[in-house]
Amino acid sequence: MTKTKRKRVRPYHSLEEIQMRKEQLDEVIELENQEIKRLWGQLTVNDEDLSRGQQIGKYIEYGIMAFDGVMTLRKLKRNYGSLLNIFRR
């Protein structure tokens, strides 16, 4: 039996309280949006900023990741007979 966690809802007694809470949430959402944009910008660095050696290193890293993925899928297929059997119980 699972317990569901209920959020405590703060009772609002006037439209002003609702408007204040809405403004607070808008500020929080805007701050989080700015943080996401900043992190996304760090994640997607332009290749123009990288030197030739760094670009080659990045391509080698991508190749290793692709090879690792293929080997993982091959191992799962060999152990389970089919990739669809992985999700069956």
Side-chain angles (χ1 to χ4, degrees):
M1 184 186 243
T2 61
K3 289 186 177 182
T4 58
K5 211 178 214 184
R6 290 189 173 187
K7 285 185 172 182
R8 294 184 65 194
V9 178
R10 183 176 154 218
Y12 298 105
H13 300 292
S14 67
L15 290 176
E16 290 81 20
E17 289 179 2
I18 295 172
Q19 185 64 30
M20 273 183 20
R21 180 64 178 150
K22 181 182 176 217
E23 290 170 1
Q24 288 173 350
L25 290 174
D26 286 343
E27 291 173 7
V28 169
I29 290 171
E30 183 61 32
L31 289 173
E32 290 175 351
N33 190 22
Q34 290 174 0
E35 180 68 13
I36 289 171
K37 284 181 182 178
R38 184 185 65 78
L39 293 173
W40 185 258
Q42 287 178 352
L43 185 64
T44 57
V45 176
N46 290 337
D47 288 342
E48 298 165 357
D49 299 341
L50 300 176
S51 70
R52 185 71 177 150
Q54 289 173 332
Q55 288 177 355
I56 291 171
K58 185 180 76 167
Y59 294 138
I60 291 172
E61 182 182 344
Y62 288 160
I64 291 170
M65 286 190 300
F67 178 76
D68 185 46
V70 168
M71 289 291 106
T72 301
L73 286 175
R74 182 175 173 256
K75 186 176 184 179
L76 288 172
K77 188 175 183 304
R78 186 178 61 210
N79 288 342
Y80 291 101
S82 171
L83 293 178
L84 296 177
N85 289 340
I86 295 171
F87 303 107
R88 294 184 183 153
R89 289 188 177 218

